[in-house]
Amino acid sequence: MSINLKSLIPVLKAEWIGSDTDIFVDHISIDSRSLQNGSKTLFFALSGVNNDAHLYIPELIENGVQNFVVQYIPENCSGKANFLVVKNPLDALQEFAGYYRDLFDFPIIGLTGSNGKTIVKEWLNFLLSPDYNIIRSPKSYNSQVGVPLSVIAINGKHNLGIFEAGISTVNEMVNLEKIIKPTIGVLTNIGSAHDEGFQNLEQKINEKLLLFKQSEVIIYQKNEIVDLCLKEFLKDNDSAERQLFSWSFTDNSADVFILKKENKNDTTIIQYKYKGETFSLEIPFSDSASIENAVSCLLVLLYFMYDFGTIQNRMQMLYPVRMRLEVKNGINNCSIIDDSYSSDFQSLKIALDFLESQNKKNASKTIILSDIVQSGFSNEELYTKVAQLIADNKVNRVIAIGTTISSFAAKFSNCITFQNTTEFITQIESLNFNNETILIKGARSFQFEQIVSLLEEKTHETVLEINMDSISHNLNYYKSKLSDDVKIMVMVKAFGYGNGGLEITKLLEHHKVDYLGVAFADEGISLKNGGIKLPIMVLNPESTSFPSIIQYQLEPEIYSIKGLNAFLKIAREKNLKDFPIHIKLDTGMHRLGFEEHNLNELIETLKGNSSVKVKSVLSHLATSDEVKHFDFVLSQINLFDQLSSKLISALNINPIRHILNTSGISNFPNAQFNMVRLGIGLYGVSNDPAEQKYLENVGTLKSIISQVRTIPNGDSVGYGRRFMAEKETRIATIPIGYADGISRLWGNQVGFVVIKNQKASIVGSVCMDMLMVDVSHIDCKEGDSVIIFGESPTVIEMAEALKTIPYEIMTSISQRVKRVFFR
């Protein structure tokens, strides 16, 4: 983004008070606390019920912010900055977002409804991301402020947008429509959330449909009420180009008719009819809400004209969105369904359906429920409906928390009431939770996360959590640096740099990377056995592995005449034709590869040979991350260009050429050739501190506290008595050690772990299976979570302290440490 302030004066209908309009801004902010605020920031001073951002303008000016959109200029600020004075800064923010949206011309999917917006958005992002560079609302940014902030994040690299729009009353959607201007409209489930803001259901639907005033198509679940509203909507917003694209479980006149839903364990087979043909697909869910959301996604894919095979493959990979209805192991053989963030009638129905699908065999069902908000009903009507709903779902026990729901306790069977969460917590031991499935559902104000924490089973294990969303983010970050015709190879050697091989590789295959790189044949064989279809290059093949490489259709790197002759001998014996190989040139790394003096012999050996085909020519940079050696890197690149060009000319071939690694992608963009090799950058690590802030952490190594003890002054900890307490000290023992990959050099107060967001220094030597930390300053107990590395400390920090590199830290984590993958 680079916007001239002068151009915004008519857009915002603003009065200009400042010194210079010839200023460009590249950042929009509404948060005075943001460290991103600077001289090129345009700050919108929003005012709300509890806050007025104008009060923070003097401090912002002191911190270098020079450009503001304000309703008034604060005292003593005139002449110190540039001000665009408007009637309402929120309206101005929305006007700016609409203006900014018009600078781009690509498809925008607009989502609205009562339920499912965020899930459908995240799923569509997953389903479409292999083919599009998508901008989408972060989290649930669907409000009057959230929508403009989402849209302002568009940049020139994006070619598809997915934005949510949420409203709670009339006259709100008209503002969001002007900002999003969706070309594709998706109406998700219409429920009772925010009913109190509308006279009736029809008014709510009519208001939501306003989002689609300029949409080419409206995707929706067909029913009588929505059809009537759409009929009126089309009269008022007539467009010959508009298409209605409907689906239904019950109305076979819908464009997509769901013939059958068949639950199969935790999956659902959906059979549907479209354009006279019948298809079926499988999704990894069985609850009704997920099925509805998946069908909405299906229609979008059909509208985008995806083939059936692609739809089936992608839909079966859908995943739970981590924001609600999260299943956790509970104490005493209980299961916990965590829906502790909201409480409305429609979502209660969905949660109870989910409770049934997750209930263990022969286990009783319990619901812990707070006062219900945003129902649209009178209390009498609401709790009558709730009681009936709970009875219909055969819930064995109801625990009601809140003054309102408690006053209707008589409507429920087997109901225990508490006035507030604190009262419940004080009596939790007497409730004897045992072998039951517990749905915990409460409005945010009740802070039911405290209840979840108390009832959740404390797991005693060390795990490496891998954030797959971060993998996708980092991949797309580096893709954005490449020219359109440049391919990308991703290195997944060494068990995915310690993060896990097959799971990450499946995600990379979903994102349609061009090649995978492994070090040895057995790594490639493991991936092929796991079903990976992408071409896999083996960078360090041993001659003894050539038969297996051929058997599993791997592609060897050839770096010597001896190796080439050995492979050609086997290739001739097996009567191979054009088997792909990759020629490695040594341009200065002096590790592996053909040097300039033996290039002629290489050419003569390959000339006229039909057994193999040179798929690519590559080399390896030695110092792409060190500025002081950049001249050497340039010499390598020039030599590679010369040698590879000679090889290509002599053999009359057109192979892929590649030399750049992760650092090279960022530092030498003019040497991308035909392909680049992305390594540690995928896993969230850059050698450039300036670039690091754009990457997301992928791996978080976690453990728990096994035991806490207090030792007196003068006592020691661990082998060799290398730590001596100089005062009474609380020591926590963590079940992870050097056998898990934690260097012994990280002990003896060099390193630390994080407990409850506080650093705890490692004391004494790191043991094979344990380490000890000083928690004298931390209020912690046995079972509390411990971060070994992740956001803090980072593997970069650890590497610097240990005088090594992040690669070593990551690849050292033992495979006895369980990897947990999540999106």
Side-chain angles (χ1 to χ4, degrees):
M1 174 192 294
S2 182
I3 303 291
N4 189 300
L5 269 186
K6 186 176 182 179
S7 68
L8 295 182
I9 296 173
V11 172
L12 305 183
K13 303 178 181 65
E15 176 188 4
W16 171 261
I17 300 177
S19 58
D20 185 9
T21 58
D22 193 24
I23 294 173
F24 285 81
V25 294
D26 58 13
H27 176 59
I28 304 299
S29 177
I30 63 168
D31 185 358
S32 62
R33 299 164 298 180
S34 174
L35 297 178
Q36 297 180 44
N37 294 330
S39 61
K40 291 189 176 181
T41 293
L42 179 60
F43 184 87
F44 285 76
L46 304 186
S47 299
V49 176
N50 301 313
N51 204 3
D52 182 358
H54 292 78
L55 300 176
Y56 305 106
I57 289 176
E59 181 180 347
L60 285 164
I61 292 174
E62 286 185 14
N63 292 333
V65 180
Q66 283 292 294
N67 309 296
F68 298 88
V69 177
V70 298
Q71 190 171 5
Y72 63 90
I73 300 175
E75 187 176 352
N76 299 323
C77 289
S78 293
K80 296 181 179 179
N82 300 312
F83 294 96
L84 291 161
V85 183
V86 297
K87 289 183 178 179
N88 185 317
L90 174 57
D91 291 345
L93 175 65
Q94 294 177 343
E95 289 290 339
F96 172 76
Y99 160 79
Y100 187 74
R101 159 69 177 90
D102 286 339
L103 299 178
F104 302 89
D105 184 21
F106 54 77
I108 298 285
I109 300 173
L111 294 156
T112 191
S114 303
N115 304 294
K117 296 185 294 295
T118 301
I119 293 173
V120 172
K121 176 199 68 185
E122 294 299 321
W123 283 358
L124 286 177
N125 177 70
F126 173 77
L127 293 166
L128 297 171
S129 60
D131 310 303
Y132 295 91
N133 190 3
I134 298 174
I135 175 69
R136 72 189 195 277
S137 309
K139 298 183 179 179
S140 295
Y141 273 37
N142 58 30
S143 67
Q144 299 292 307
V145 174
V147 167
L149 292 178
S150 299
V151 168
I152 289 167
I154 297 174
N155 66 47
K157 293 285 187 180
H158 297 126
N159 56 15
L160 178 66
I162 310 175
F163 297 108
E164 304 179 46
I167 58 173
S168 57
T169 188
V170 296
N171 301 321
E172 289 185 342
M173 189 62 82
V174 64
N175 300 325
L176 302 185
E177 189 280 332
K178 292 176 182 177
I179 300 168
I180 300 175
K181 299 182 180 72
T183 57
I184 299 163
V186 180
L187 185 66
T188 64
N189 177 275
I190 299 294
S192 60
H194 300 293
D195 270 0
E196 64 272 19
F198 305 93
Q199 294 178 3
N200 49 47
L201 183 59
E202 288 84 354
Q203 187 186 50
K204 178 196 280 191
I205 295 172
N206 288 334
E207 192 73 13
K208 290 182 181 293
L209 289 176
L210 292 176
L211 179 64
F212 309 138
K213 286 180 66 175
Q214 302 180 58
S215 299
E216 300 164 0
V217 62
I218 301 174
I219 294 169
Y220 71 104
Q221 182 177 6
K222 190 176 180 63
N223 64 58
E224 186 176 352
I225 296 177
V226 175
D227 281 343
L228 286 172
C229 292
L230 275 169
K231 186 176 180 181
E232 293 301 314
F233 173 79
L234 294 178
K235 282 183 183 177
D236 298 335
N237 302 277
D238 186 38
S239 172
E241 302 297 324
R242 196 188 315 279
Q243 175 187 351
L244 297 182
F245 194 24
S246 63
W247 66 272
S248 177
F249 294 122
T250 57
D251 188 343
N252 60 14
S253 69
D255 297 297
V256 177
F257 181 54
I258 311 301
L259 297 167
K260 189 178 180 182
K261 296 179 297 177
E262 181 182 353
N263 289 344
K264 184 180 178 182
N265 298 322
D266 294 325
T267 67
T268 300
I269 306 296
I270 298 174
Q271 189 179 86
Y272 64 96
K273 188 174 181 180
Y274 175 58
K275 290 186 175 180
E277 294 189 61
T278 300
F279 306 89
S280 66
L281 59 84
E282 183 176 3
I283 60 171
F285 304 97
S286 57
D287 65 288
S288 60
S290 295
I291 294 170
E292 284 192 22
N293 293 331
V295 174
S296 292
C297 294
L298 167 64
L299 264 74
V300 174
L301 295 181
L302 292 172
Y303 181 75
F304 275 70
M305 300 179 69
Y306 278 84
D307 63 87
F308 170 74
T310 300
I311 292 174
Q312 169 62 59
N313 290 337
R314 295 187 185 178
M315 294 285 285
Q316 67 185 0
M317 292 176 66
L318 292 177
Y319 55 90
V321 176
R322 293 182 59 150
M323 63 174 210
R324 63 173 79 182
L325 294 175
E326 189 173 354
V327 181
K328 302 175 179 180
N329 291 329
I331 61 173
N332 304 326
N333 199 35
C334 291
S335 290
I336 307 296
I337 298 176
D338 181 3
D339 196 9
S340 58
Y341 84 107
S342 72
S343 181
D344 63 78
F345 182 67
Q346 188 65 26
S347 67
L348 175 61
K349 293 195 292 185
I350 296 169
L352 285 169
D353 183 43
F354 192 74
L355 169 64
E356 176 59 26
S357 69
Q358 295 296 316
N359 191 41
K360 294 179 180 179
K361 187 177 181 181
N362 300 322
S364 63
K365 291 184 286 186
T366 295
I367 181 170
I368 302 174
L369 184 65
S370 78
D371 289 344
I372 292 178
V373 297
Q374 299 179 342
S375 71
F377 304 116
S378 68
N379 285 336
E380 178 69 26
E381 184 180 11
L382 169 64
Y383 290 106
T384 299
K385 288 177 176 290
V386 171
Q388 185 60 53
L389 188 61
I390 289 173
D392 291 344
N393 279 270
K394 298 181 174 59
V395 175
N396 305 88
R397 179 165 60 156
V398 178
I399 298 173
I401 300 178
T403 55
T404 306
I405 193 172
S406 294
S407 66
F408 292 93
K411 293 183 178 292
F412 300 94
S413 176
N414 192 19
C415 180
I416 306 169
T417 64
F418 299 92
Q419 294 299 300
N420 52 55
T421 303
T422 301
E423 183 183 348
F424 167 85
I425 290 173
T426 60
Q427 300 183 48
I428 194 169
E429 294 292 336
S430 65
L431 297 173
N432 299 317
F433 292 103
N434 196 333
N435 192 36
E436 53 197 301
T437 304
I438 307 166
L439 170 61
I440 302 175
K441 184 161 185 59
R444 278 204 178 110
S445 59
F446 283 82
Q447 297 182 316
F448 272 15
E449 63 270 14
Q450 298 177 58
I451 298 174
V452 174
S453 178
L454 290 170
L455 294 179
E456 187 179 1
E457 180 183 49
K458 301 301 182 286
T459 55
H460 295 270
E461 62 178 347
T462 296
V463 298
L464 180 60
E465 291 185 350
I466 309 299
N467 187 333
M468 302 295 262
D469 281 342
S470 295
I471 292 276
S472 298
H473 169 88
N474 298 336
L475 174 65
N476 289 329
Y477 170 76
Y478 284 102
K479 274 186 174 181
S480 71
K481 292 177 172 288
L482 304 181
S483 299
D484 292 341
D485 57 347
V486 174
K487 300 178 185 294
I488 188 165
M489 174 187 287
V490 178
M491 308 307 297
V492 292
K493 61 182 181 178
F495 195 53
Y497 287 55
N499 292 282
L502 184 59
E503 292 82 2
I504 290 174
T505 305
K506 285 181 177 178
L507 182 63
L508 296 173
E509 192 164 55
H510 170 75
H511 281 292
K512 295 184 177 180
V513 304
D514 300 284
Y515 258 92
L516 299 173
V518 298
F520 300 105
D522 56 350
E523 295 176 310
I525 291 169
S526 177
L527 295 179
K528 288 292 186 181
N529 285 334
I532 298 301
K533 301 291 192 298
L534 285 172
I536 300 174
M537 177 178 161
V538 182
L539 281 82
N540 305 321
E542 297 138 325
S543 297
T544 54
S545 70
F546 286 162
S548 296
I549 284 175
I550 293 169
Q551 178 185 349
Y552 286 92
Q553 293 295 296
L554 304 174
E555 302 181 15
E557 173 190 286
I558 302 297
Y559 49 81
S560 68
I561 292 295
K562 179 181 177 183
L564 176 59
N565 286 328
F567 191 83
L568 289 175
K569 181 175 183 294
I570 297 174
R572 286 191 290 266
E573 291 172 354
K574 294 182 176 292
N575 296 315
L576 298 182
K577 178 74 173 175
D578 291 338
F579 194 93
I581 62 172
H582 302 262
I583 299 299
K584 176 74 168 287
L585 302 178
D586 182 5
T587 56
M589 182 76 165
H590 296 330
R591 191 171 64 178
L592 294 173
F594 293 94
E595 294 182 275
E596 186 172 10
H597 66 82
N598 50 28
L599 198 61
N600 288 334
E601 186 179 2
L602 169 63
I603 292 170
E604 289 305 313
T605 305
L606 287 172
K607 258 186 179 177
N609 195 303
S610 61
S611 298
V612 298
K613 178 181 180 179
V614 178
K615 194 69 177 290
S616 83
V617 182
L618 67 146
S619 189
H620 198 98
L621 297 178
T623 59
S624 61
D625 58 335
E626 297 183 44
V627 176
K628 64 181 180 180
H629 292 304
F630 275 9
D631 286 344
F632 181 74
V633 175
L634 293 173
S635 71
Q636 280 195 272
I637 292 170
N638 290 332
L639 182 57
F640 173 68
D641 192 19
Q642 294 173 27
L643 298 183
S644 60
S645 296
K646 179 179 179 180
L647 185 66
I648 290 168
S649 176
L651 296 176
N652 193 27
I653 57 177
N654 186 30
I656 300 167
R657 293 196 291 173
H658 49 113
I659 191 171
L660 297 185
N661 54 8
T662 296
S663 297
I665 293 171
S666 299
N667 294 328
F668 299 94
N670 294 326
Q672 292 178 3
F673 291 97
N674 311 109
M675 186 163 72
V676 298
R677 301 189 300 272
L678 176 60
I680 200 165
L682 180 78
Y683 307 100
V685 176
S686 171
N687 293 307
D688 181 358
E691 182 177 75
Q692 184 63 45
K693 64 183 180 181
Y694 295 107
L695 301 180
E696 292 185 359
N697 179 66
V698 169
T700 301
L701 183 59
K702 291 183 175 181
S703 192
I704 52 94
I705 296 176
S706 295
Q707 191 174 45
V708 179
R709 60 168 46 81
T710 300
I711 64 171
N713 177 24
D715 272 19
S716 62
V717 174
Y719 289 117
R721 307 193 73 196
R722 291 183 175 86
F723 174 80
M724 304 293 294
E726 297 179 354
K727 60 182 179 179
E728 185 176 87
T729 306
R730 289 181 76 231
I731 300 294
T733 300
I734 318 299
I736 185 171
Y738 60 76
D740 302 293
I742 307 302
S743 171
R744 292 183 76 247
L745 298 174
W746 190 236
N748 296 310
Q749 298 177 285
V750 172
F752 64 93
V753 301
V754 172
I755 301 172
K756 293 195 170 181
N757 297 317
Q758 298 179 72
K759 292 182 179 181
S761 179
I762 300 173
V763 295
S765 297
V766 174
C767 306
M768 180 180 287
D769 310 297
M770 286 171 277
L771 57 82
M772 288 71 71
V773 298
D774 182 353
V775 293
S776 301
H777 59 297
I778 302 173
D779 181 16
C780 60
K781 60 185 182 303
E782 293 174 5
D784 282 349
S785 178
V786 178
I787 304 296
I788 311 300
F789 67 64
E791 296 287 353
S792 177
T794 66
V795 293
I796 296 174
E797 291 171 329
M798 293 180 71
E800 288 174 350
L802 298 176
K803 295 180 172 55
T804 183
I805 55 177
Y807 299 75
E808 183 176 356
I809 305 294
M810 296 166 65
T811 58
S812 294
I813 302 305
S814 167
Q815 291 197 34
R816 81 174 186 178
V817 173
K818 179 181 178 182
R819 269 70 172 174
V820 176
F821 301 88
F822 68 93
R823 295 190 179 94

